[in-house]
Every structure is written in C-alpha cells, then in structure tokens.
Amino acid sequence: MARSLVAIGYYTGQMVMLLAGTMSLPLLTALVSREPVVALDFLTGMGVSFSVGAALVLVCKRGRKADLTWSQGMVVVALSWVASTALGALPYYLSGYWGSYLDAMFDVMSGLTTTGLTLVRDLDHVPDGINMWRHFLSWLGGQGIVVLALSFLIRSIPGAFKMYVGEGKDERLLPNVISTAKAIWYVSLVYLAVGAAVLWAVGVRIGLPTDRAFLHGLWVFMAAWSTGGFAPQSQNIIYYHSLAYEVVTMVFFIIGSFNFNLHWAIWSGNRREIYRNIETVTFAVTSTVLATLVLWELSRLGVYGDAVSLFRRGYYSLISAHTTTGFMTTYARQFALEWGPLSLLAITIAMLFGGSASSTAGGFKAVRIGIAFKAVVFEVRRLLYPERAVVVEKIHLWRDVVLGDKQVKSALTIIVLYVFAWFAVFAATAAYGYDLPSAMFEAASVVGNVGLSAGVTSATMPAFLKSVYIMGMWVGRLEFMAVFVFAGYILRLAKPAWITGSRA
Amino acid sequence: MSRLTPRGDDLDRSPGDNIRIGQRRGRDDKSDIAAAVAGVAVEVAGSGVLILLGLAVAILMGR
C-alpha cells in the first residue's frame, strides 16, 4: 500500500505543478490588461500550487519509476481533478468575485468538466485575467488534464495509457498514447487559430472594439470548442445580438463535440467517416428528432413568432444542449416558464444523450446510444428470424465491426450509471423545494456537463446542493470508473485489510 | 466504450514512439497543412449540413 501511495503521490504532484504552470496565461493577461491586484492573486495561486505539487513530488520521489496499475492510474486522475479544483479556486476566491471558497471551487469544477454553470457575482465587470482563467480552465478540461500532462510534462511513463483511459478517453489516435495526446493538441490548436480569428472578425463586424472583439473571440471559441458554455458576459450569447455570432459558435461547438478520433480520421484522408460513423449518424438522428419535438412545441405554444426566432432560440438551445455546450440564447427562467413540458423534456433528454465519446462533450455519448439502439434492433431481428438463422448486427466505428455482447454490456452499464447519477442530483435538487421540471432539467445539465440552467444554479442556492453539483459534474466528466476506483481506494485506506480482505 | 473491461496491453513504448505528428506516412509540412485545411473544410461542411437541417425544421414548424 505504501508503494502504491508513493506512486500516486508522485504523479498527482506532477499534475498539480502543471496546474501552477497553466496559471501563467491568466497572469500574463492580467499584466497586459494592467490589473496588478489580479496578477497578485494569480502569483499567489501559482506559488501555493507549485509548492504543494513540488512537496508531493519530493516526498514521493521513489514513485517516479513505478509502473502504474489500472487502479493507481484511475486514482491519480480522480485525485488530480480534485486537487486542481481545490487549488485552481484560489485566484477566484482572492479576486472577491465569488462569495465563498465553495463557490470558487464550483466554478473551477464547472470549467474543468466543461459544464459552464457559474456562481460568479457581477460577471459583466470581472477583470480580463479572471475571465482568461475561466475560459482557459474550460479549454484545458476539454482536452483533459492528463492529455496536457502527457503532452508537455510527462515524457514517457509506464502506465500512461491507464491515466488516459481514466479521464474518459479510451481510444488512441496513434499507436502511442503520448503521440495521441500531442495529436489532440495539434487538432485543437489549429481550430483555436481558425475559430478565434473568425469570431474576432465577426465581433469587429458587429461593432465590438478590436481588442475586446479579440478577447471575446478567443474566450468564446475556447468555450465553444471545449463544449464548455462559459461566456464573458452574464447574458451569455444573447449579449452579441448577432445571427452570425450564433451560427459560427454553433459550427464550432458541433465540431467540438466530435470524437478526436473522427477529427484524426478525416484529417488523415478518410473523409467518408463523417457520414458513416455510428456517432455522427446517431447524433444527426437524435438531434433532428429532438429538434422537431422542441420546435413543434414552441410553435404550438406561440413562444416565438417566426421561423428565424425558432431557429435562433429553439434549435440553438437544442444543439447547445445535445453537444453539452450550454451556450444560451434565451434567459434561464424562460425554459421553466415559457417553453412547455415537451420542449423541456426534449432538451433534458438531449443533455443526457450528449456528444461523442473521446471528445470534449459529456452525457451518455452518441456511440452508446447507437449501440443500445442497434442491440434492440438485433434482439427484434433475432426473434423474427427462424431459430437456426445466424443474425449479425454491425456498427461502423472507424471500420465495420460486429456488435458483441461485451460492447452492449459496457454501453448499457455506463448509461444506467448516468441515469442513477442524474436521479441522485435530481432528488437532491427537488428535496430543497425546487419545482420538478426545473430540478430534472438542472440535474441533466450537471451530470451531462452541459451548463444550461433553468434558474436553479445561483450563488444563493444551498451549500450542500452546491457540493452535490460539484460531485455530479466530476462523476459525469470522468464517467464513473475513475471516481469509483478512487472511492474504493479511500475505503481500503480507511479500513484495515482484514475487513476488506484485499491487498494493496 | 470498453472502459469497464480495459482492453489491450499498455503500448506506451510501442514502435509508434518514433512516429512524429506531421511525419506520418512520410508527409512533409506542406501536405500536412493541406490535410488540416481539407479536414477543417469537411468538418465545417458536416456541421453546416446539420445546421441547415435544423433551419429547415424551423421553417417547417414556423409556417
């Protein structure tokens, strides 16, 4: 057990030191924007984070050459996310824009998990350095802290793949996991350059000053690509009052919700994959069906007067929910008060379905929905055909593969776990007296790492509920396994071996 | 997809170690940029199709 702890401590320490390094970007932003107090907050945050990380690395230096087991890799990931949340909140708290340390941690977890719910006060006057940290955290979280570490810090460690899997990405783009991490950054940085430039141009076109248009373009792109949903203004995307801004953000958060393997396949010349892949096909079908329901209900209720408004409010919200982005072109309470039960239900389902696996998106993931649907089709076909007939169901995921029991079991298990987590968060919200539709909606937004709000999430909500939401976002982003293994590890530490009957 | 049953060996030190991004299949930098541009174009077109589909549904429902 001691050897295991040393290995976990060493790699967690490295992750924490890396977090300290990432604070240099908001620090630089604060200095350029002449915000000395904010710069001091980030210097303090960097100092504390680096000290904690360095202390862990020094104390646990014997763990440097340890070959991580599956459980240790998962524990490192879960623990790194907790440590990053606790330490990344320091500059937020020191800035005074968050009411408590818990609120600051809520926003860091929301950023890292690419959720986008926020408890910040007076967002419209938040300094540039803080805004940079909000959106940069979201960007880093979308890539994955482990992906960041594998790209820039950890050259080559035995067991790197186990950490990579623990963070919700289970397929490599290239044979080597470190090359895969670099490829993910390569794709994202190309899109960052393209996306920020396009949004900058649109921002200037709609009348923002050039420097503000650049910062808004950069931040909004970071939030769109990472399907995060943060925005620099409290009105979110409504602030821009621009169809062009809405369409451009929609393009980038749809692409952001694609599997990194899909990006790599297309960029490597396999362009037909975009319409053959089970994930894109599933996403196209579910989003069209759910959009039809939402727009039909909104039209029936007469919430919006014309097709353009239906598209800009209804369709945008649906796709924002389905890709788990959380950008809003409506006010939060409009969902609960004006949208009607069918629209609310469709958006809730979209949030739970989510985007693609191995992407920045949350939710069940399209591949699992596709596999579950194919499994149902398989069972029906098996019953319809003669008993001796050999029935085979195929899916296209990079190549045609025969659907097996193992894949179906794995997909359904994660879906069931998501439903349990959603129900737990929903029950906790409802227990505090929030109306049931809003509680259902908010719980789906939390567990699916979406960020749309029906008005429940606010700085005045109960502290316990804030903690439940933090847990919900964490569990949803890491897709349960890393968190379960972490919990099991803690239990093992807390109880003597003769009770658990296990060894380290 | 197979998170519950981790598959495969740890290939951290596979022959892929020596493959550098941008030099797969003997590519040079220029063809790499062309591949990235083409990839971005295909993905933007793909998301555009989905957005147009949504616009069509909105027009249909808004009539």
Side-chain angles (χ1 to χ4, degrees):
Chain A
M1 183 59 91
R3 194 180 300 167
S4 163
L5 270 177
V6 163
I8 290 167
Y10 179 80
Y11 288 113
T12 306
Q14 285 220 329
M15 296 286 191
V16 170
M17 283 169 71
L18 186 68
L19 176 85
T22 60
M23 287 187 198
S24 52
L25 181 63
L27 171 66
L28 192 69
T29 309
L31 290 173
V32 171
S33 300
R34 296 178 187 169
E35 297 162 349
V37 179
V38 177
L40 201 61
D41 295 340
F42 279 104
L43 269 179
T44 310
M46 281 177 86
V48 172
S49 302
F50 187 82
S51 305
V52 171
L56 268 173
V57 167
L58 280 175
V59 170
C60 305
K61 64 183 174 190
R62 280 186 299 118
R64 190 175 49 192
K65 288 178 184 167
D67 189 352
L68 290 177
T69 62
W70 276 103
S71 66
Q72 288 165 358
M74 300 256 173
V75 172
V76 169
V77 172
L79 200 56
S80 297
W81 279 69
V82 173
S84 299
T85 301
L87 293 164
L90 197 55
Y92 277 175
Y93 181 67
L94 294 174
S95 74
Y97 282 88
W98 280 263
S100 65
Y101 206 84
L102 183 67
D103 288 11
M105 282 178 60
F106 182 100
D107 268 37
V108 174
M109 185 60 94
S110 177
L112 282 175
T113 57
T114 74
T115 303
L117 292 168
T118 183
L119 300 179
V120 65
R121 298 182 302 190
D122 196 17
L123 175 59
D124 295 326
H125 299 100
V126 161
D128 289 345
I130 294 289
N131 251 327
M132 181 61 86
W133 188 225
R134 293 177 68 230
H135 294 88
F136 192 47
L137 274 176
S138 191
W139 167 262
L140 292 176
Q143 308 298 101
I145 299 174
V146 168
V147 168
L148 180 73
L150 293 176
S151 308
F152 300 109
L153 185 73
I154 301 169
R155 292 274 172 212
S156 176
I157 61 163
F161 183 59
K162 290 151 190 167
M163 284 160 58
Y164 179 77
V165 168
E167 207 172 46
K169 294 181 173 66
D170 57 355
E171 291 167 340
R172 280 169 287 214
L173 280 62
L174 295 167
N176 169 274
V177 72
I178 292 175
S179 299
T180 294
K182 287 179 180 169
I184 287 174
W185 276 97
Y186 175 64
V187 171
S188 297
L189 288 173
V190 168
Y191 267 110
L192 178 68
V194 174
V198 172
L199 283 171
W200 183 13
V202 176
V204 170
R205 179 79 183 78
I206 62 174
L208 290 174
T210 310
D211 57 335
R212 301 313 299 167
F214 171 73
L215 283 176
H216 279 234
L218 181 66
W219 293 334
V220 170
F221 176 78
M222 281 179 172
W225 174 257
S226 62
T227 63
F230 280 150
Q233 303 291 148
S234 58
Q235 287 184 311
N236 208 272
I237 298 299
I238 308 172
Y239 173 78
Y240 302 101
H241 292 290
S242 162
L243 176 63
Y245 220 90
E246 289 160 18
V247 170
V248 171
T249 51
M250 214 186 318
V251 166
F252 287 120
F253 63 65
I254 288 171
I255 297 174
S257 76
F258 287 170
N259 194 316
F260 277 108
N261 293 271
L262 180 65
H263 295 303
W264 201 245
I266 292 169
W267 288 32
S268 301
N270 184 11
R271 288 168 200 150
R272 293 197 312 163
E273 194 66 28
I274 197 165
Y275 61 84
R276 293 189 69 203
N277 193 283
I278 186 172
E279 293 203 277
T280 48
V281 172
T282 304
F283 186 85
V285 170
T286 52
S287 63
T288 306
V289 170
L290 292 168
T292 306
L293 292 177
V294 169
L295 299 182
W296 179 78
E297 173 84 334
L298 291 176
S299 181
R300 189 181 67 83
L301 295 173
V303 180
Y304 301 111
D306 56 83
V308 175
S309 296
L310 269 180
F311 174 75
R312 292 180 64 179
R313 310 281 176 261
Y315 189 68
Y316 189 96
S317 300
L318 187 272
I319 295 297
S320 176
H322 207 327
T323 55
T324 73
T325 306
F327 276 153
M328 293 175 77
T329 51
T330 56
Y331 293 100
R333 289 307 288 164
Q334 278 184 287
F335 286 124
L337 301 175
E338 294 178 8
W339 271 45
L342 185 61
S343 313
L344 223 53
L345 181 67
I347 294 264
T348 304
I349 291 170
M351 289 194 284
L352 287 172
F353 278 8
S356 296
S358 291
S359 73
T360 64
F364 297 168
K365 306 285 168 21
V367 65
R368 298 194 183 104
I369 302 293
I371 286 174
F373 177 76
K374 285 275 189 179
V376 172
V377 170
F378 172 75
E379 286 303 321
V380 171
R381 284 180 62 207
R382 209 166 55 90
L383 290 172
L384 287 175
Y385 286 14
E387 277 184 34
R388 286 183 184 176
V390 177
V391 182
V392 173
E393 195 66 44
K394 285 185 178 175
I395 58 170
H396 184 83
L397 191 65
W398 326 122
R399 60 185 187 282
D400 284 339
V401 286
V402 175
L403 186 64
D405 287 347
K406 198 172 158 186
Q407 292 159 309
V408 174
K409 183 185 155 198
S410 174
L412 291 180
T413 306
I414 296 288
I415 290 174
V416 168
L417 286 171
Y418 261 113
V419 172
F420 275 131
W422 167 77
F423 186 78
V425 176
F426 159 65
T429 310
Y432 275 99
Y434 293 97
D435 63 280
L436 294 187
S438 296
M440 279 171 58
F441 187 96
E442 210 82 1
S445 184
V446 167
V447 175
N449 299 135
V450 182
L452 290 177
S453 175
V456 174
T457 303
S458 76
T460 55
M461 68 196 276
F464 179 74
L465 199 53
K466 288 174 188 170
S467 309
V468 170
Y469 280 17
I470 290 173
M471 289 284 292
M473 292 187 275
W474 182 49
V475 165
R477 178 65 175 86
L478 296 185
E479 295 196 336
F480 308 100
M481 286 306 119
V483 176
F484 287 170
V485 172
F486 178 62
Y489 196 83
I490 298 290
L491 280 176
R492 244 198 265 172
L493 277 179
K495 288 185 177 180
W498 62 268
I499 294 180
T500 57
S502 59
R503 281 173 286 176
Chain B
M1 172 166 50
S2 53
R3 188 87 36 72
L4 292 173
T5 50
R7 66 174 186 280
D9 299 318
D10 192 349
L11 294 174
D12 295 330
R13 295 211 177 99
S14 69
D17 266 343
N18 299 322
I19 298 174
R20 212 162 59 77
I21 298 160
Q23 296 207 330
R24 289 166 299 114
R25 301 174 199 159
R27 279 183 179 166
D28 56 17
D29 287 347
K30 205 179 279 181
S31 64
D32 233 33
I33 293 168
V37 170
V40 170
V42 169
E43 292 186 80
V44 169
S47 65
V49 168
L50 198 69
I51 291 169
L52 286 176
L53 202 62
L55 186 61
V57 176
I59 291 169
L60 206 67
M61 294 297 165
R63 286 169 68 183

